Amino acid sequence: GTLFSERTYCTVCKLNVCVSVEAEVYMHLYNSQNIQQIFKQFSCELMNQGILALVTSTGCASASALQSLTDAMHIPHLYIQRNSEGSPRTACQFNPSPGGQRYTLAARPPVRLNDVMLTLVEELRWQKFIVFYDIEYDIRGLQGFLDQTSRQGIDVALQRVDRNISKIFTNLFTTMRTEELNRYRDTLRRAILLLSPHGAHTFIQQAVETNLASKDSHWVFVNEEISDTEILELTHSALGRMTVIRQIFPLWRDSSTRCMRQNHRISSLLCDPQEGYLQNLEVSNLYLYDSVLMLANAFYRKLEDRKWHSMASLNCIKKSTKPWNGGWSMLETIQKGNITGLTGTMDFKDNGSNSHVQFEILGSSFSETFGKDIKRLATWDSVHGLNGSLKESRIENGMQGVTVKVVTLLEDPFVMVAENILGQPKRYKGFSIDVLDALAKILGFKYEIYQVADSKYGTRLPNGSWNGMIGDLINKRADLAVSAITITPERENVVDFSKRYLDYSVGILLRKPEEKINIFSLFAPFDLAVWACIAAAIPVVGVLIFLLNRLQALRSSSQSAPPGQPANGTGSGTLHSAIWIVYGAFVQQGGDGVVGSVALRIVMGSWWLFTLIVCSSYTANLAAYLTVSRMDHAIRSFQDLARQIDVDYGTVRDSAVYDYFRNKGTNPLEQDSTYSELWRTISKNNGMDYSVSSPSEGIRKVPQSC
């Protein structure tokens, strides 16, 4: 199938040059010799048809086979080395060319990862570390790096990583004793990973899960090709510090060059940064594109100089075939030219290879929390070397005697105005001020503090600038901001924050409800039907006791007893006396007489048990009712707040909470209408109706609201 096909356009000579690199797909390839033979056969077929130059993108073995063929036939050969299954590249070892005339030009720059790694090790001052390399990686590519570190007395260990990474860590625990595992864990504190992105991610995950990685670990991932998504995955999975070295192409982000580069035009799908196609292409494909542009440029200059040669029609199978006469002239034309393409500047003035290469070194700060974005620490190029510093910035030694300008915003209890003596400068107190004083004492600096003019924390304005304390920091009116400010991703993009020392969630501040006196609240624990049943039970039980007393009196009437009185003298012979005894037992106040008969004892015992249960239930329900009534609020969530219309609400203008409601309320993808309703109320009249300018103003306004 077609590996690459692109039409380039020369704006000066109005020449259309269509270059297509094709390769046949062969199945059942058993070894590299078969592959090399196929490439040779395919190249010979192209030479029979007529050829001016050969552009290939293969591995080292196939490139070496093609190099011997193109050197023999004098065909210019632009070679782009491909990675093997995502592993880092190593330099290809080509055979010596007959007569010293090499026709193979390395369009992709030589491997400079060793130089970048050596610079990094020297900057970090590592004296001992381990290098993990992929099973597909050619260890011979590390020879120069190992020689340099050996001369500097650095202890370097090597370990190959097989495809089954989990098995490696399982074998460690089965073959090593505890002391050996502790020494191995100490070795892992400084590690360089020459792996594919997927392999490095799996390796770090296994190290973290098996507790072999620690918070002071430092992982250095080295690979020319790794995407932003893969970098974030590595950073999030790593425990400790993460450093990534990868190749970059600065012209990608240069919008002024766009699609026009010198006298040629780049495909608009590739050169436009907004399209995003460029980031999805492999690095080898980018160099393949620029190699075609390089050939188009050489063809144009050949036509311009009127030194065009006919294409080579060669039969490389016959031993009697002579090389192409115009090969050396074509090679010189390519070597003398240069272009600016997708990969930047390309030329072959440095021993027949393209030397222009630039790397970026990305890293996270020491022991950084998960989810933190990785930042660029420095760049490295083949001309200027390292640009930037990889050392962790330590300010202890550089703050002695320095006066720092501090901006703040009042908010209790973090920053407050202390009692001021007449004529003295304004003094501040609070939790944040105590932290600032402790830092000043430890680091030895002095500070001048002032309140921000607009009384705002800081938010991005429509024109891209910032107000509040963040604006003062960006515009360098202040060196440091101290206040109860919320850390947001937007603010982190423009300023640096210390580690948070207090986390809080967004809450709703409500006025305390007025206590309403209800004289009938004592009846609330029971329902009206329960009270009715209790009121009916008292006379019913009283009548029952009266009847039982009368029956007992008739059976055991005494002649000495006066008429109308029972013989046992309980005093419950009348109906009102019996009801009084039942009521006294209900309120647990006892009775006037003594119950004598068995029937009366059964009835009174059952009544006492009933009153015990009723009174206990009433006491418990009354306590629960009074507690719940004091805690009862109609608004407990944002949903409750959005559904009601009686209570006005707002927040602090230009604060993190204000921006949060704005982003959620104006997001067209937000399915919940709660935040849309909240934002409509909060933003009325640009927030002037309900929102406030400071937290203290909001606290004063809440008791006054309806």
Side-chain angles (χ1 to χ4, degrees), residues 81-132:
Q81 182 183 356
R82 282 191 175 272
N83 289 25
S84 176
E85 299 185 4
S87 299
R89 284 195 308 147
T90 52
C92 293
Q93 304 296 327
F94 288 131
N95 300 320
S97 300
Q101 296 181 354
R102 174 173 294 180
Y103 284 82
T104 297
L105 304 177
R108 191 168 182 176
V111 181
R112 304 299 296 269
L113 292 178
N114 287 348
D115 299 332
V116 185
M117 286 193 298
L118 186 63
T119 304
L120 182 141
V121 170
E122 292 174 350
E123 280 285 307
L124 297 177
R125 298 181 181 179
W126 283 3
Q127 294 300 317
K128 181 181 179 180
F129 60 92
I130 185 171
V131 178
F132 294 96

Side-chain angles (χ1 to χ4, degrees), residues 4 17 165 255 432 456 470 473 494 531 573 646 683 689 696:
F4 185 87
V17 181
I165 296 177
S255 58
S432 297
K456 297 183 185 300
I470 303 297
L473 291 175
V494 293
W531 285 117
D646 298 329
S683 62
D689 288 352
S696 57

Side-chain angles (χ1 to χ4, degrees), residues 403-407 472-473 476-481:
T403 300
V404 178
K405 209 163 187 180
V406 180
V407 60
D472 282 14
L473 291 175
K476 299 183 179 180
R477 290 190 290 268
D479 304 309
L480 182 69

Side-chain angles (χ1 to χ4, degrees), residues 483-547:
S483 183
I485 187 170
T486 305
I487 302 176
T488 63
E490 292 78 12
R491 292 171 178 170
E492 277 191 309
N493 287 334
V494 293
V495 297
D496 291 327
F497 284 91
S498 66
K499 290 190 179 296
R500 55 171 59 90
Y501 53 80
L502 178 65
D503 288 326
Y504 74 96
S505 58
V506 177
I508 302 174
L509 184 65
L510 293 171
R511 186 181 66 177
K512 187 177 180 180
E514 297 179 359
E515 295 184 2
K516 297 179 180 180
I517 300 175
N518 186 5
I519 60 176
F520 299 104
S521 60
L522 293 177
F523 298 99
F526 285 162
D527 192 63
L528 181 60
V530 177
W531 285 117
C533 292
I534 294 173
I538 293 176
V540 170
V541 177
V543 171
L544 181 60
I545 292 175
F546 169 74
L547 293 176

Side-chain angles (χ1 to χ4, degrees), residues 123 145 150 265 300 307 328 339 486 488 491 514 559 605:
E123 280 285 307
F145 174 74
S150 177
R265 182 177 64 196
Y300 160 70
K307 295 179 180 180
W328 182 253
I339 64 159
T486 305
T488 63
R491 292 171 178 170
E514 297 179 359
Q559 299 195 2

Side-chain angles (χ1 to χ4, degrees), residues 89 108-113 115-116 224 246-250 283 287 343-345 354-360 379-385:
R89 284 195 308 147
R108 191 168 182 176
V111 181
R112 304 299 296 269
L113 292 178
D115 299 332
V116 185
E224 292 169 314
R246 70 170 177 179
Q247 187 177 355
I248 58 172
F249 306 100
V283 174
Y287 281 107
T343 60
T345 303
N354 178 21
S355 62
H356 300 281
V357 62
Q358 186 171 355
F359 296 90
E360 69 174 350
T379 58
W380 189 97
D381 60 68
S382 54
V383 178
H384 305 96

Side-chain angles (χ1 to χ4, degrees), residues 280-520:
N280 298 325
L281 290 178
E282 293 182 4
V283 174
S284 54
N285 289 338
L286 298 176
Y287 281 107
L288 192 58
Y289 191 100
D290 286 354
S291 299
V292 175
L293 294 180
M294 191 74 177
L295 283 180
N297 182 269
F299 296 156
Y300 160 70
R301 285 185 287 110
K302 274 287 186 181
L303 291 174
E304 190 179 47
D305 297 340
R306 300 183 183 276
K307 295 179 180 180
W308 184 256
H309 296 277
S310 60
M311 290 189 297
S313 181
L314 306 172
N315 189 348
C316 59
I317 298 178
K318 295 181 179 180
K319 295 183 180 180
S320 59
T321 302
K322 295 182 179 179
W324 181 34
N325 293 330
W328 182 253
S329 174
M330 190 69 196
L331 181 69
E332 280 188 327
T333 305
I334 297 174
Q335 284 183 309
K336 291 179 181 179
N338 67 84
I339 64 159
T340 303
L342 299 178
T343 60
T345 303
M346 175 181 285
D347 60 43
F348 301 103
K349 298 177 181 178
D350 185 13
N351 298 324
S353 63
N354 178 21
S355 62
H356 300 281
V357 62
Q358 186 171 355
F359 296 90
E360 69 174 350
I361 303 175
L362 309 170
S364 59
S365 62
F366 179 76
S367 192
E368 204 163 37
T369 57
F370 292 130
K372 197 73 172 178
D373 289 339
I374 198 165
K375 300 179 180 179
R376 175 184 286 187
L377 303 178
T379 58
W380 189 97
D381 60 68
S382 54
V383 178
H384 305 96
L386 186 69
N387 180 19
S389 177
L390 306 179
K391 299 177 182 177
E392 296 183 42
S393 59
R394 302 192 179 276
I395 60 176
E396 294 90 354
N397 301 328
M399 298 292 290
Q400 292 289 339
V402 176
T403 300
V404 178
K405 209 163 187 180
V406 180
V407 60
T408 188
L409 180 62
L410 297 181
E411 182 170 350
D412 299 346
F414 301 97
V415 181
M416 301 175 287
V417 178
E419 294 182 3
N420 191 24
I421 303 175
L422 188 62
Q424 297 294 325
K426 186 180 292 186
R427 296 177 61 251
Y428 297 90
K429 63 179 181 179
F431 186 80
S432 297
I433 301 300
D434 293 341
V435 174
L436 181 62
D437 291 337
L439 287 174
K441 183 178 180 181
I442 295 172
L443 302 179
F445 67 86
K446 300 177 182 179
Y447 65 88
E448 297 176 357
I449 190 168
Y450 71 95
Q451 295 184 39
V452 63
D454 56 5
S455 299
K456 297 183 185 300
Y457 294 100
T459 185
R460 188 189 295 273
L461 301 177
N463 60 1
S465 61
W466 287 76
N467 59 12
M469 293 189 296
I470 303 297
D472 282 14
L473 291 175
I474 294 175
N475 297 322
K476 299 183 179 180
R477 290 190 290 268
D479 304 309
L480 182 69
V482 173
S483 183
I485 187 170
T486 305
I487 302 176
T488 63
E490 292 78 12
R491 292 171 178 170
E492 277 191 309
N493 287 334
V494 293
V495 297
D496 291 327
F497 284 91
S498 66
K499 290 190 179 296
R500 55 171 59 90
Y501 53 80
L502 178 65
D503 288 326
Y504 74 96
S505 58
V506 177
I508 302 174
L509 184 65
L510 293 171
R511 186 181 66 177
K512 187 177 180 180
E514 297 179 359
E515 295 184 2
K516 297 179 180 180
I517 300 175
N518 186 5
I519 60 176
F520 299 104

